[in-house]
Structure formats: C-alpha cells, structure tokens
Amino acid sequence: DDLSRPEAADSPYGRLLAKPSSRFPRFLFWLWVSSTYDVFGEAFLGKLRDRGGRPIELVPLHPTAMTPDEVPAGSEQTWTFQSGRVRVEGIRQSDLVHFRTYNPDTMLRGMSRLEPLPRTLEVEDAAQRAQSSFWRRGARPGVALSHPGNLTQPAIDRLKLQWDGLAAGADKTGTSVVLEEGMTPSVLTINNDDAQYIDSRKLNREEVCGAYDVPPPAVHILDRATFSNITEQMRSLYRDTQAPRLKNFEDTLESDLRASVRPGASEPDFGDRFYAEFLLDEVLRGAFEARAEAYKNADYMTMAEKRRAE
C-alpha cells in the first residue's frame, strides 16, 4: 500500500530488472534503450522465457530491423526482425517490450524527435562543413589574383596550382609568396562573424533543446544562466523533462512486461503485487541547509522519521 512499500528485489520481477541481460552490463543495457529511444523514437526488447514461459532475460532489438506484419483485424500483432542474415518472423507483440513516443501517423511505431528538425540539422551540418573548409584552406579568406593582361587558360591553371601549393592549408598560414610582374592579390573576405556561424550554432542547439524539452543549461548553454536560476533549471530537468519520459517507461514496463500474460497462462507473468518505478528523490531533494530548516519546523515528524527521510 502507499504507506508500506517494501522493495521486492528478490522477486522474479525485481531480479529481471536488476539484471535484464546476460550479455550486457545493466547500465549499458539501459543506456542503449534510452539512447535508441531518443534517436529513433522507439526501442524494442525481446523476451527470452524459461520453460514455464516466464521472461527471464531481455534482448535489445534495433528499431530499423523491426517491421510490423499485416495481420487480420482482432488478431495479435506480429513483427518480423531482419538484420543481415538473421531473420525472425512472427514475433508476437506479447513477446516484446516496446517503448515508443507519439507518432501522428500510427500507434504501432514511435517517431523520432529529430524528424521535425531536418532544417536545423541541415544548417548545423552546413555550418560545420563550412568551418572545416575555412580551416582546411588556411583559416583565412579566399584570394583572387589579378593580372593586367589576358592570361591563357594554361597560365591560369599554372598560377592557381602554384598559389595553392605555396599558401593553401592551415599549416601554411602566413607564408610569404612572390608574385609575378603586375599581379596583385585581392582578399575576398567573409569571416565567422559575418557568416554568423557562432550564433547559428547556438540557435541550432537551442532548437534541439526545445524539441527534447531540455533546459539549455543542462547541455552547458550558459548564456542566460545565473547562479540563482541554474539550480532550479537543473531540478527542472528531472521534474519537468524526465518525469513524463520516465512515466512512459514505467507504463510500458507495466503493460508489456509485468502484466503481460504468457501463452497458456491466465495470470500476469509477474503477478499483481509488484510494480516498478523510478526514484527521483535524490536528485530532487533540496540543499542540506534548506532540508535542515524544514525539519526544524516539521513538528508533525518524529526524529526517527526525519532520519529515515535522510
């Protein structure tokens, strides 16, 4: 009940979540689930069952390898896994744990949060390639060589090749060159400030933060951060960003794993006395001084209850 919630670490469900895979460490396993969910908008886990049909291990299945099968109305959804030469057909929905985000086109698949950001990602990619080219070609503006006469194409090609050989490349920045008679260089200047590379990249990062509902200071964008608001924004990361996300994970574990009924059985795989939840108490608790002051005024709590809260 709400007042007495003993941790069921020794239950089959508790042991499965404590060690979901024999192939991967627990941290790496859940990191894969969380990161795949972020990139693709969904993550699949296949259930390995014991002889009695109860899940004893979870296997990561990459979303790009999963295809929903066409099934008659009212029948259980099945999936096909195809990765290289490995093909598994007819995987029942009850044999999967499927974490997914909202998709306006279908309830079978999730949609990546990167989908609404193609222009942002294109601009970010173009800015990075432009900066790479800027440094690779000498970290300086381009140069046009002017000549008072009319040059033949072979002469133009020769001069360009000679100039690039002398001055192109970051390692040759500041190299002295000797020009032929009557030739003058003209700098074609465009710097990072004019191109607004820095500002555009900041905007790109903030747009991605908005798509993932992450406060900018959480990814070290500290332009408008102050000592007084950064602590609250970091707490907001868990309270406002992570809480709905973790609730989605909890509900998926409840419906697809804990309450799933194995073939030939009538009871849930792990009974009705258990449930799994994420505990955010440690990251949401206030500073020690604030907690101590609150406990001082908490006349409704005994000293033992205050110790237990800590």
Side-chain angles (χ1 to χ4, degrees):
D1 55 44
D2 290 338
L3 297 179
S4 176
R5 307 192 303 161
E7 184 177 358
D10 292 332
S11 68
Y13 192 33
R15 290 195 297 268
L16 175 61
L17 291 184
K19 188 178 180 181
S21 173
S22 61
R23 298 178 56 194
F24 306 104
R26 180 175 60 174
F27 177 83
L28 181 60
F29 178 90
W30 290 114
L31 176 64
W32 183 91
V33 172
S34 177
S35 301
T36 303
Y37 175 87
D38 279 337
V39 174
F40 294 94
E42 57 184 350
F44 290 86
L45 298 176
K47 302 175 185 176
L48 294 184
R49 302 178 183 270
D50 60 17
R51 293 183 178 181
R54 174 177 285 168
I56 56 173
E57 188 171 341
L58 301 175
V59 179
L61 302 173
H62 203 279
T64 58
M66 299 294 292
T67 305
D69 300 330
E70 295 288 340
V71 297
S75 300
E76 182 179 7
Q77 179 66 48
T78 61
W79 297 75
T80 295
F81 176 84
Q82 175 75 56
S83 179
R85 297 182 179 180
V86 179
R87 180 179 178 87
V88 182
E89 298 179 348
I91 304 175
R92 294 172 302 188
Q93 187 75 40
S94 58
D95 287 328
L96 295 172
V97 180
H98 186 190
F99 304 95
R100 56 189 180 275
T101 59
Y102 169 70
N103 187 333
D105 298 323
T106 176
M107 295 186 69
L108 280 179
R109 307 300 300 258
M111 187 179 75
S112 171
R113 295 189 184 184
L114 298 177
E115 287 292 337
L117 297 172
R119 291 290 180 266
T120 299
L121 300 178
E122 288 175 5
V123 170
E124 176 69 11
D125 175 66
Q128 291 193 23
R129 286 188 286 108
Q131 282 192 307
S132 175
S133 176
F134 187 84
W135 286 103
R136 188 173 63 252
R137 298 179 188 279
R140 51 165 174 60
V143 174
L145 298 177
S146 302
H147 194 278
N150 293 325
L151 298 177
T152 63
Q153 188 61 45
I156 293 175
D157 294 340
R158 177 181 59 82
L159 287 173
K160 182 179 183 305
L161 185 62
Q162 182 183 18
W163 180 268
D164 288 343
L166 289 173
D171 294 336
K172 297 179 181 178
T173 301
T175 299
S176 299
V177 295
V178 178
L179 301 178
E180 298 188 21
E181 183 177 358
M183 186 171 292
T184 57
S186 300
V187 175
L188 306 178
T189 180
I190 176 171
N191 55 38
N192 275 341
D193 291 334
D194 294 334
Q196 295 184 329
Y197 288 142
I198 297 176
D199 290 340
S200 67
R201 296 200 65 186
K202 287 181 180 179
L203 178 61
N204 294 340
R205 296 178 67 192
E206 291 179 359
E207 286 185 354
V208 175
C209 284
Y212 281 89
D213 194 24
V214 173
V219 292
H220 307 291
I221 299 178
L222 305 177
D223 296 2
R224 291 180 289 275
T226 64
F227 180 79
S228 60
N229 71 12
I230 191 170
T231 300
E232 182 58 30
Q233 292 207 45
M234 295 303 292
R235 287 165 59 86
S236 171
L237 174 66
Y238 293 95
R239 184 184 64 239
D240 304 323
T241 302
Q242 288 290 78
R245 166 196 179 92
L246 298 183
K247 185 62 177 176
N248 182 10
F249 274 50
E250 290 173 354
D251 288 348
T252 300
L253 290 173
E254 172 68 17
S255 62
D256 291 2
L257 187 60
R258 203 282 307 167
S260 178
V261 179
R262 55 191 179 274
S266 58
E267 298 294 327
D269 282 339
F270 295 101
D272 291 323
R273 297 192 302 114
F274 305 102
Y275 62 95
E277 69 177 7
F278 290 90
L279 298 181
L280 299 179
D281 300 1
E282 291 296 324
V283 291
L284 289 179
R285 67 197 313 183
F288 175 77
E289 293 81 2
R291 299 199 307 275
E293 186 65 25
Y295 289 140
K296 186 185 301 183
N297 299 322
D299 297 333
Y300 58 89
M301 298 178 68
T302 67
M303 187 60 67
E305 289 174 330
K306 296 175 182 178
R307 289 197 184 99
R308 185 164 59 247
E310 284 297 304

